């Protein structure tokens, strides 16, 4: 037999159904208005239910056209209405109606006390159902907006702005409603392993940013409270220390990564809004670490820095009570925070974080530390050395890099050296070293960190001008990373391997590494970046284009201009598709011109050069040295193409820009450039048969 309520809800509007449900919610709340102190908590829960239903009403009002057409949403309301009717009927049976008589009040008090646990259980489950219904409505609307956004992404700007305005309306006044998960859920660590992930589709970084703000507000509020720490550490925190593994849990596909990060944001909010007696700083700190890394991988560096700072604070709080267990995790969170700052381009903050981290670790008795902590110290020194190099403090960087190598040598006690002698007092990588290293009985993490230290030693040696000495360490690090990637193919380490492969293309290393070998190394890196750019184009698009850029230049150096032009063409297309930076595109367009000029394809070279100059102008403005040089090169290309009238205009623009630069910065810096551009102008006028005064 068909349920009459189902028939009714299938024909009435969404607004009418919601109105009836809100009225029922108010009846449930009113039924507890005059109960005894035993049910005060139930009163609060009932009030929360009404508040959430009111928020759902407001949300549906803003997105009515989308939601009213959905049978799925009406079915969700039907299910909620049945649950509310059932709860209301049960509560009426468990608690007598209110009475003004003394006997009636005593009777209410008695039954309130007797049935309080059952009533609270019913109301809590209903509150969770209401929250889940609100979650379902908001996610449904968000997914529909995502479909519209995808359709309009390549359409007009006005349509796109309309969708963005729709997304901005997803925020509600009570930030608790951003936590779509059931607000009575237990701590994250207690969730069953098979707990389903919600089907969340993120439409805009703004939406995730709102969740970050809510978490930040909750943490700020909770930081002033006092927590009782458990006597025993929870799972995941071990003695001896093992780092919290992050990369193993993060998806590689960008869409999956976005869903993962949003899910973590929602779970953390739910976690923070739970009963304070169930809060676990231990579990929260671990989740925050993964969350920070996920945000960084999405390129949301400001948000990642905010969460990274909280991660450090949480672990420091724990370390104040149990330093032996949690101090290493403080250092691990320092390293991740430094990485976030470095990736965002804030080198100064990245360095200060690692400087503090290194100083704090050096204050310990490192010679008596267990192996796992020595490995961590070696990794900290390596990161510190890298940041010193980036700040161009190369001598200090080399000192710290050598200290890191000594730490790892003390750990591994290898029977063979990493390098061996070669002719002319040169060193080369010892081919037996990676194999012996893998048999040393250490963890893959220790082997990986040792390889990173060797790579940094090579970079530091290169930066102080010891180029020959830097070659063997570089190839040794490469061999170790290849070995690790063979054991775990397509892992996150292969991106680091690709970066080492591109290190071999440094121009200063040309005398020491044959070009054909460098070309094969770049091809190996390209294979890795192409594969990863398919999963996460926003993160790996530019590294892919950089590898293509490097290959094109190398082919041109080898005078294989035809192949170089083909690679340049791929570079241009990949840059347009994967890289937002117009300055980078301008540089790529300029690069292809030299190969086209060498092939005497002068018309094509001039066309590409003009595109490059226009791209520079759109980014740099009206006057810049880069543009002035670009106009000079354009004039030359146009003369070679026999387009002399256009060449005159390009040369005039070059002279004009260099003169303006000379007036602003002093003529001595640009006098040679002005003379060169005037010469190009004179040649163009001569070939065009035009008077020089023009």
């Amino acid at each position: 037999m068909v349920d009459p309520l189902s028939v009714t809800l299938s024909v009435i509007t969404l607004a009418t159904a919601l109105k009836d449900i809100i009225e029922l919610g108010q009846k449930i709340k009113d039924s507890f208005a005059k109960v005894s102190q035993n049910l005060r908590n139930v009163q609060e829960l009932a009030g929360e239910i009404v508040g959430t239903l009111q928020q759902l009403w407001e949300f549906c009002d803003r997105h009515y056209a989308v939601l009213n057409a959905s049978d799925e949403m009406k079915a969700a309301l039907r299910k909620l209405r049945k649950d509310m009717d059932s709860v209301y009927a049960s509560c009426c049976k468990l608690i007598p109606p209110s009475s003004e008589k003394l006997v009636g009040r005593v009777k209410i008090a008695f039954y309130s006390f007797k049935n309080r646990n059952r009533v609270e259980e019913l109301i809590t489950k209903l509150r969770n159902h209401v929250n889940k219904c609100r979650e379902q409505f908001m996610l449904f609307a968000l997914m529909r907006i995502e479909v519209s956004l995808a359709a309009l992404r390549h359409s007009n700007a006005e349509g796109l702005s309309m969708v963005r305005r729709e997304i901005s309306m997803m925020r509600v006044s009570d930030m608790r409603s951003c936590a779509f998960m059931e607000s009575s859920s237990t701590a994250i660590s207690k969730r069953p392993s098979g707990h389903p992930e919600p089907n969340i589709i993120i439409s805009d970084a703004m939406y995730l940013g709102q969740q970050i703000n809510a978490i930040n507000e909750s943490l700020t509020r909770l930081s002033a409270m006092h927590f009782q720490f458990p006597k025993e550490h929870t799972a995941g925190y071990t003695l001896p220390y093992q780092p919290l593994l992050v990369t193993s849990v993060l998806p590689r596909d960008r869409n999956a990564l976005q869903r993962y990060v949003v899910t973590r944001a929602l779970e953390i909010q739910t976690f923070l809004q739970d009963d304070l007696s169930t809060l676990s700083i231990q579990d929260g700190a671990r989740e925050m670490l993964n969350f920070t890394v996920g945000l960084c991988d999405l390129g949301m560096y400001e948000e990642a820095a905010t969460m990274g700072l909280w991660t450090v604070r949480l672990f420091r709080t724990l370390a104040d009570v149990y330093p032996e267990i949690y101090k290493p995790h403080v250092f691990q969170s320092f390293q991740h925070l430094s990485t976030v700052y470095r990736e965002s381009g804030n080198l100064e903050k990245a360095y200060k974080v690692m400087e503090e981290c290194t100083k704090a670790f050096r204050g310990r008795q490192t010679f008596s530390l267990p192996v796992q902590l020595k490995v961590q110290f070696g990794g900290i020194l390596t990161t510190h050395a890298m940041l010193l190099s980036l700040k161009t403090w190369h001598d200090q960087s080399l000192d710290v890099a050598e200290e890191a190598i000594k730490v790892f040598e003390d750990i591994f006690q290898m029977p063979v050296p990493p390098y061996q002698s070669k002719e002319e007092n040169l060193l080369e990588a010892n081919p037996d070293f990676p194999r012996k290293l893998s048999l040393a009985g250490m963890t893959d993490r220790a082997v990986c960190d040792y390889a990173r230290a060797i790579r940094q030693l090579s970079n530091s040696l290169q930066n102080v001008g010891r180029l020959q000495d830097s070659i063997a360490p570089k190839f040794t690090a490469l061999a170790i990373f290849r070995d690790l990637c063979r054991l775990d193919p397509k892992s996150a380490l292969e991106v680091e391997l690709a970066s080492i492969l591109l290190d071999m293309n440094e121009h200063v290393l040309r005398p020491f590494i044959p070009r054909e070998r460098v070309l094969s190394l770049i091809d190996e890196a390209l294979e890795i970046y192409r594969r990863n750019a398919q999963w996460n184009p926003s993160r790996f698009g530019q590294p892919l284009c950089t590898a293509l850029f490097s290959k094109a230049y190398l082919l041109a150096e080898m005078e294989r201009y035809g192949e170089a032009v083909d690679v340049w063409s791929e570079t241009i297309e990949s840059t347009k598709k994967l890289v937002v930076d117009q300055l980078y595109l301008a540089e790529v367009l300029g690069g292809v011109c030299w190969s086209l000029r060498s092939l005497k394809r002068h018309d094509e070279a001039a066309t590409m050069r003009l595109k490059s100059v226009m791209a520079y102008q759109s980014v740099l403005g009206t006057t810049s040295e880069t543009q002035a040089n670009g106009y000079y090169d354009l004039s030359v290309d146009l003369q070679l193409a026999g387009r002399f009238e256009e060449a005159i205009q390009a040369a005039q623009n070059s002279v004009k820009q260099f003169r303006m630069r000379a007036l602003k910065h002093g003529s001595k810096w640009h006098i040679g450039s002005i003379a060169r551009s005037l010469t190009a102008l004179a040649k163009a006028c001569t070939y065009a048969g035009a008077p020089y005064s023009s």
Side-chain angles (χ1 to χ4, degrees):
M1 182 176 178
V2 179
D3 180 7
L5 180 61
S6 301
V7 174
T8 302
L9 277 175
S10 66
V11 296
I12 65 174
T13 65
L14 190 74
T16 304
L18 271 170
K19 182 181 178 183
D20 292 342
I21 286 175
I22 290 174
E23 289 176 355
L24 181 55
Q26 189 64 47
K27 284 176 66 177
I28 293 174
K29 179 185 177 184
D30 293 343
S31 67
F32 298 108
K34 297 183 179 181
V35 296
S36 66
Q37 293 290 334
N38 295 317
L39 291 176
R40 290 303 178 194
N41 191 38
V42 174
Q43 287 179 333
E44 293 178 4
L45 289 170
E48 189 176 326
I49 288 171
V50 173
T52 303
L53 288 172
Q54 189 61 43
Q55 291 167 6
L56 179 59
W57 167 274
E58 293 170 1
F59 179 82
C60 290
D61 185 54
R62 290 198 297 269
H63 303 277
Y64 192 77
V66 172
L67 296 169
N68 189 50
S70 170
D71 291 336
E72 181 184 350
M73 295 300 98
K74 291 180 180 179
L77 285 182
R78 181 166 65 249
K79 186 176 180 181
L80 177 61
R81 173 66 183 269
K82 284 183 177 180
D83 192 15
M84 292 178 71
D85 281 332
S86 174
V87 169
Y88 181 63
S90 298
C91 289
C92 288
K93 291 178 182 179
L94 292 170
I95 301 175
S98 59
S99 173
E100 297 298 327
K101 296 181 180 180
L102 177 61
V103 175
R105 292 199 299 271
V106 171
K107 189 176 180 182
I108 292 172
F110 172 75
Y111 280 102
S112 297
F113 174 77
K114 178 183 177 181
N115 299 319
R116 68 185 186 282
N117 291 335
R118 174 60 179 154
V119 172
E120 186 168 343
E121 180 184 355
L122 287 170
I123 296 299
T124 299
K125 286 183 178 179
L126 179 60
R127 189 271 308 269
N128 292 342
H129 191 167
V130 171
N131 285 343
K132 200 168 187 66
C133 187
R134 179 194 55 206
E135 167 197 345
Q136 189 175 356
F137 270 71
M138 296 182 81
L139 290 179
F140 180 85
L142 189 60
M143 285 188 283
R144 287 298 176 91
I145 294 167
E146 172 67 16
V147 171
S148 302
L149 183 63
L152 288 168
R153 197 176 299 277
H154 302 292
S155 183
N156 58 71
E158 182 181 356
L160 187 59
S161 65
M162 288 174 61
V163 176
R164 292 186 183 277
R165 285 197 299 272
E166 189 78 6
I167 294 169
S168 69
M169 294 168 64
M170 300 294 288
R171 189 170 187 178
V172 292
S173 58
D174 184 353
M175 288 310 298
R176 288 180 303 174
S177 62
C178 292
F180 296 146
M181 312 297 287
E182 295 180 2
S183 57
S184 65
S185 301
T186 55
I188 292 170
S189 61
K190 298 179 182 178
R191 290 185 185 275
S193 58
H195 187 79
E197 300 288 346
N199 182 22
I200 299 173
I201 299 178
I202 182 68
S203 297
D204 198 276
M206 175 186 63
Y207 170 77
L208 186 53
Q210 291 173 358
Q211 315 311 315
I212 305 299
N213 291 337
I215 293 172
N216 188 42
E217 290 169 8
S218 296
L219 286 168
T220 302
R221 185 180 67 254
L222 293 174
S223 63
M225 299 181 182
H226 177 72
F227 294 95
Q228 294 293 328
F229 291 92
K231 294 181 179 179
E232 298 295 332
H233 55 275
T234 59
Y237 298 101
T238 59
L239 283 175
Y241 161 75
Q242 293 291 340
L244 296 174
L245 297 178
V246 177
T247 54
S248 60
V249 302
L250 294 181
R252 300 179 69 189
D253 178 82
R254 180 173 176 83
N255 291 331
L257 178 61
Q258 284 180 315
R259 290 193 292 272
Y260 170 88
V261 172
V262 174
T263 302
R264 296 289 82 76
L266 300 176
E267 287 194 342
I268 289 170
Q269 284 192 75
T270 302
F271 178 57
L272 293 172
Q273 292 157 17
D274 253 336
D275 185 354
L276 290 181
S277 63
T278 68
L279 283 179
S280 166
I281 295 182
Q282 298 162 302
D283 298 325
R286 179 170 58 244
E287 284 298 317
M288 290 287 285
L289 183 65
N290 290 339
F291 188 44
T292 298
V293 176
L295 287 167
C296 187
D297 284 353
L298 285 176
M300 299 183 67
Y301 300 119
E302 183 178 348
E303 293 83 357
T306 300
M307 296 297 98
L309 280 168
W310 276 114
T311 306
V312 171
R313 290 170 189 164
L314 291 173
F315 277 123
R316 274 181 159 167
T317 301
L318 291 165
D320 287 341
V321 183
Y322 303 118
E324 184 180 9
I325 297 173
Y326 295 108
K327 200 73 173 178
H329 296 288
V330 175
F331 298 131
Q332 185 185 7
S333 59
F334 265 131
Q335 286 180 282
H336 283 296
L337 180 59
S338 177
T339 299
V340 170
Y341 284 135
R342 177 169 53 83
E343 292 284 343
S344 68
N346 196 331
L347 185 58
E348 190 59 35
K349 281 190 176 180
Y351 171 73
K352 286 182 177 178
V353 167
M354 284 314 300
E355 184 181 40
E356 181 181 354
C357 183
T358 305
K359 184 178 179 180
F361 212 117
R362 279 202 176 112
R364 313 181 78 184
Q365 296 293 329
T366 53
F367 63 87
S368 61
L369 290 175
V371 170
Q372 293 87 344
L373 294 186
K374 287 184 179 179
V375 170
Q376 186 182 35
F377 183 47
I380 289 170
L381 290 171
T382 301
T383 305
H384 192 189
M386 176 188 62
L387 291 167
L388 286 166
S389 286
L390 292 174
K391 289 180 70 66
T392 68
W393 297 343
H394 299 311
D395 290 331
Q396 292 171 259
S397 173
L398 180 57
D399 290 340
V400 177
E402 288 175 337
E403 184 183 355
I405 292 295
K406 288 177 182 177
V407 170
F408 283 110
E409 287 176 346
D410 179 60
I411 294 169
F412 281 87
Q413 298 290 324
M414 292 296 293
V416 296
Y419 327 121
Q420 61 186 18
S421 298
K422 194 180 177 183
E423 67 274 6
E424 300 177 1
N425 295 320
L426 294 177
L427 293 176
E428 67 176 5
N430 187 336
D432 291 332
F433 186 75
R435 182 175 60 84
K436 295 287 186 182
L437 197 64
S438 64
L439 299 174
M442 296 294 173
T443 64
D444 288 345
R445 174 62 182 262
V447 174
C448 179
D449 283 352
Y450 192 6
R452 288 169 176 154
I454 294 172
R455 180 193 183 189
Q456 183 54 49
L457 175 65
S458 171
N459 292 340
S460 297
L461 287 167
Q462 182 179 320
N463 290 333
V464 297
R466 294 168 58 181
L467 301 178
Q468 291 183 350
D469 294 340
S470 73
I471 299 298
K474 203 176 291 292
F475 276 103
T476 300
L478 176 61
I480 297 171
F481 266 96
R482 275 178 172 157
D483 201 50
L484 288 168
C485 289
R486 274 194 293 268
L487 296 173
D488 187 12
K490 298 183 181 179
S491 70
L493 290 179
E494 72 170 1
V495 176
E496 208 163 341
L497 170 62
S499 177
I500 299 173
L501 290 164
L502 286 186
D503 283 350
M504 306 299 182
N505 190 46
E506 294 280 351
H507 194 268
V508 294
L509 302 180
R510 287 282 194 274
F512 310 102
I513 310 175
R515 286 175 177 171
E516 287 291 346
R517 187 176 185 185
V518 174
L519 187 61
S520 68
L521 295 173
I522 294 175
D523 282 333
E524 188 179 344
L526 276 171
E527 183 181 348
I528 294 171
Y529 282 132
R530 281 193 177 103
R531 184 165 57 247
N532 282 273
Q534 291 177 348
W535 295 108
N536 195 340
S538 64
R539 185 180 182 194
F540 297 110
Q542 186 145 340
L544 170 61
C545 294
T546 299
L548 288 167
F549 195 100
S550 301
K551 181 178 181 179
Y553 256 118
L554 182 59
L555 287 168
E557 283 184 18
M558 298 167 72
E559 299 183 1
R560 292 161 59 174
Y561 299 115
E563 295 174 70
V565 169
D566 291 339
V567 177
W568 279 123
S569 299
E570 183 184 355
T571 309
I572 292 169
E573 291 306 310
S574 297
T575 302
K576 288 178 179 178
K577 186 191 305 182
L578 301 172
V579 181
V580 178
D581 187 357
Q582 288 298 302
L583 200 59
Y584 189 87
L585 175 61
E587 192 174 349
V588 172
L589 290 167
V592 70
C593 299
W594 302 109
S595 296
L596 289 169
R597 186 187 289 184
S598 299
L599 289 170
K600 302 187 185 307
R601 291 162 59 175
H602 300 305
D603 268 317
E604 295 174 70
T607 300
M608 284 295 180
R609 186 80 68 185
L610 179 59
K611 289 181 179 179
S612 175
V613 170
M614 292 298 100
Y616 276 124
Q617 184 169 332
S618 68
V619 178
L620 300 177
T622 55
T623 305
S624 70
E625 187 170 359
T626 303
Q627 279 181 260
N629 282 319
Y631 275 118
Y632 168 78
D633 292 327
L634 176 61
S635 176
V636 174
D637 286 324
L638 288 166
Q639 288 182 55
L640 292 171
R643 295 156 59 179
F644 300 113
E645 294 295 336
E646 296 170 79
I648 291 173
Q649 293 179 358
Q652 286 175 329
N653 283 332
S654 179
V655 171
K656 179 181 177 181
Q657 293 221 3
F658 275 126
R659 279 176 173 163
M660 292 175 68
R661 299 282 298 174
L663 289 171
K664 186 175 181 179
H665 301 286
S667 59
K668 67 176 182 178
W669 300 110
H670 298 287
I671 190 69
S673 298
I674 293 172
R676 185 186 60 173
S677 297
L678 286 170
T679 301
L681 176 59
K683 285 183 178 179
C685 290
T686 300
Y687 288 124
Y692 175 73
S693 60
S694 65

